[in-house]
Amino acid sequence: MNNSALALVLYAAWTLLLLAGIATLRGGLTLSGKRTANSFSVAGDDVSPFSARLCRAHANCYENLPVFGSIVVVAIFTGNAHITEPLALWATAARISQSTAHLISTGNLAVQIRFAFLFAQFLIQVWWLVRLIGVLI
């Protein structure tokens, strides 16, 4: 498996891991009788501050996954994976780091760190798009 495909699979796995965290937290509350299954807010803020951060970290992942995935898939299917290969795992590592910073805190420093990881992903994806568009036109 090349780095681009591996990065996409790891990104999807991370998104599912965050979803598993939400399901575990909510499932435990439901099974213990503390909450009913249909009583949870989508934002997660009705459970705890951590639950809200977990839901938002998960949402951040699935909001960007179509963009990340589209770029990587187009690169692979058009024979241009050499464009995404060098930075693919770095982009996924930045996504995981962004989520982790989000889970840990919403303090000023954590938000700045989170933004730095988001900005790294943004720059990588813009770089890929510019290069891909250049070879596809």
Side-chain angles (χ1 to χ4, degrees):
M1 183 181 296
N2 63 33
N3 285 345
S4 298
L6 178 59
L8 186 54
V9 168
L10 290 173
Y11 191 122
W14 178 250
T15 304
L16 282 174
L17 183 64
L18 293 172
L19 179 59
I22 294 167
T24 300
L25 184 62
R26 291 179 179 189
L29 291 170
T30 301
L31 292 173
S32 69
K34 294 179 181 175
R35 297 288 294 267
T36 59
N38 63 348
S39 68
F40 295 99
S41 163
V42 174
D45 53 353
D46 59 329
V47 174
S48 69
F50 176 77
S51 174
R53 294 192 308 272
L54 178 59
C55 289
R56 194 62 229 152
H58 175 253
N60 288 159
C61 285
Y62 70 69
E63 289 165 352
N64 188 251
L65 183 56
V67 175
F68 180 81
S70 296
I71 296 168
V72 169
V73 167
V74 167
I76 292 170
F77 285 138
T78 62
N80 291 295
H82 64 278
I83 291 172
T84 55
E85 282 295 297
L87 296 175
L89 292 173
W90 287 106
T92 299
R95 168 53 61 186
I96 292 169
S97 299
Q98 177 192 354
S99 299
T100 302
H102 201 160
L103 293 173
I104 292 170
S105 174
T106 56
N108 190 45
L109 179 60
V111 171
Q112 291 174 0
I113 290 168
R114 206 168 80 216
F115 176 76
F117 287 124
L118 173 64
F119 194 59
Q121 293 165 76
F122 173 77
L123 290 176
I124 290 168
Q125 290 177 34
V126 167
W127 174 245
W128 287 345
L129 279 175
V130 168
R131 293 198 55 212
L132 273 171
I133 290 168
V135 299
L136 295 175
I137 292 181

